[in-house]
Amino acid sequence: MLNLFTRPFRQPAPDLAGLGAAHIALPIARGCTVPGGRFAVLADGDGRTRRLSEGARVNVFDGETAWCVHPGPYACDLTPFAAAPEIGLKVAFAIDGADPREAQQRFDLFLASEGGERVALDAFVAQMEAALQRELAQGNLELPPCTSFEEWNLFRAGFNQLLYTRFGVMVDDCVPVDFGASRDLAALLAARLAVQPASKPVVAPPQEAFDAACEDRKALRRLFLELPRVLCGLRLAVLPPDCATFRRHQDLLRRLDLVSLSVSTMPALALAAPNEALAAAEQLRRARHSRRAVAALDEAWALLARMKHAVAELPQAIGLLDEADRIIANLECDCAARRATGEEQ
């Protein structure tokens, strides 16, 4: 007689070596149990996500991908200025917990849109550093020499909001450090000089070669999944209650909605028309425009981080809306070029 009270189909413990150290998220198989101190994120092909807490059984539906996530904390070193490698920030961060007020957690959307099979800590930190450097280079964050306490607190507030809005991580600690004693600055400068070309007549730089199909697919997936969230965030922005600002805000929402529609109806990369193949050079051109649109998408997330709080002053609101106008114009231009079958169009 069978013993109905046994569990003959118990799944082995998942192989999650390196999780919490070299990796933030690793794939987890169907039927496994979420280990203690971790949680699981499941995402379907349309970007819908759900979380499972520790001890839960991973029941994966058809078309879903499952990751096991270690929330941290993690420690890393960031270089805020690429031209000054001796200046650094020592940062401790953790993955944000589930917020019942949010329909979808930001880190879960990151996994669904750009996480890939696994999320390495080094690659994740590199993305954080690139986002920080871009905001400092554009003047949206300020970290001047001999920073005062007020300036540091202002920087920390913007930095914390940037990482939370862009990646869904909470910054536990952030302190400035001097890397001059631990990094060979002379070797770094020599390496940079070695890769610089010798003095030659100015010519157009060669176009970068890459896997057009892979890059285009990744870029369009990000645009398809993240643009609706950006649109929602822009719609919820609190702006001064005057008619001109309201009308401009509504026009930006309309244009961004049309960009999202354009992405959701984007033609196949390899086709110029039904049953008509597109030349390889044109496919590369299309993929480059997809990647430029993703760069504008990253700027849109950074803009939302600055708009999280109520914008009480009209000049501040005008500046933010000007920035939104520029970002949406770039999205419109690159999405239109991605749809075109030739550069002249």
Side-chain angles (χ1 to χ4, degrees):
M1 181 176 179
L2 293 176
N3 187 348
L4 300 180
F5 297 98
T6 62
R7 301 177 64 183
F9 303 110
R10 182 188 299 272
Q11 292 286 339
D15 182 11
L16 301 173
L19 184 63
H23 293 86
I24 295 177
L26 288 173
I28 187 170
R30 178 198 301 264
C32 292
T33 300
V34 181
R38 289 120 171 112
F39 63 90
V41 175
L42 294 87
D44 62 14
D46 294 329
R48 291 183 292 266
T49 59
R50 55 192 179 98
R51 282 194 181 190
L52 300 176
S53 58
E54 59 179 336
R57 184 182 177 88
V58 181
N59 293 318
V60 182
F61 301 141
D62 291 339
E64 279 190 330
T65 303
W67 295 269
C68 186
V69 181
H70 194 298
Y74 299 94
C76 66
D77 294 333
L78 301 181
T79 303
F81 303 101
E86 72 279 5
I87 301 174
L89 298 174
K90 190 170 290 293
V91 178
F93 68 92
I95 306 302
D96 190 28
D99 186 348
R101 299 171 298 178
E102 297 286 345
Q104 185 181 48
Q105 310 305 311
R106 180 63 184 93
F107 183 77
D108 300 359
L109 177 63
F110 171 85
L111 283 179
S113 64
E114 54 183 319
E117 182 181 357
R118 56 189 62 205
V119 179
L121 177 60
D122 290 345
F124 192 75
V125 169
Q127 287 184 270
M128 291 168 48
E129 184 175 83
L132 172 61
Q133 290 182 356
R134 182 176 56 249
E135 286 297 280
L136 287 168
Q138 293 181 349
N140 301 321
L141 289 177
E142 294 184 358
L143 189 59
C146 303
T147 305
S148 65
F149 285 112
E150 293 77 10
E151 291 171 332
W152 175 255
N153 291 334
L154 188 61
F155 166 78
R156 273 296 308 271
F159 177 62
N160 293 357
Q161 190 64 63
L162 171 67
L163 295 193
Y164 181 78
T165 305
R166 173 66 181 88
F167 302 103
V169 302
M170 300 288 293
V171 179
D172 293 331
D173 195 19
C174 176
V175 294
V177 292
D178 184 2
F179 291 146
S182 59
R183 294 183 178 178
D184 191 342
L185 301 182
L188 287 174
L189 292 175
R192 290 182 181 180
L193 289 174
V195 299
Q196 289 182 357
S199 178
K200 295 180 180 180
V202 177
V203 295
Q207 293 285 1
E208 178 189 3
F210 56 91
D211 187 340
C214 178
E215 293 295 326
D216 184 73
R217 182 171 58 252
K218 292 191 298 184
L220 290 184
R221 178 169 179 80
R222 281 201 60 193
L223 292 166
F224 176 75
L225 295 181
E226 296 181 27
L227 276 177
R229 287 289 304 272
V230 171
L231 177 63
C232 181
L234 182 59
R235 181 177 291 114
L236 295 177
V238 180
L239 299 169
D242 66 284
C243 293
T245 301
F246 175 79
R247 286 194 298 268
R248 190 176 183 192
H249 187 202
Q250 294 301 303
D251 181 63
L252 292 173
L253 292 174
R254 178 189 60 81
R255 290 169 56 195
L256 190 56
D257 193 22
L258 291 176
V259 171
S260 182
L261 177 63
S262 175
V263 169
S264 63
T265 58
M266 193 68 71
L269 176 70
L271 294 179
N275 299 322
E276 182 181 338
L278 188 66
E282 283 300 302
Q283 293 184 37
L284 278 173
R285 182 193 61 78
R286 277 183 163 182
R288 290 190 184 99
H289 283 292
S290 297
R291 299 203 306 179
R292 291 170 188 165
V294 164
L297 176 66
D298 289 338
E299 290 185 334
W301 281 114
L303 175 65
L304 287 184
R306 303 198 299 275
M307 299 179 73
K308 281 294 183 180
H309 304 291
V311 183
E313 299 180 1
L314 185 58
Q316 182 186 7
I318 292 175
L320 292 174
L321 293 179
D322 286 344
E323 180 72 3
D325 193 353
R326 180 189 65 83
I327 292 171
I328 294 174
N330 288 338
L331 285 168
E332 291 171 333
C333 178
D334 285 310
C335 287
R338 169 58 180 80
R339 300 181 72 92
T341 57
E343 189 66 52
E344 70 279 2
Q345 299 178 19

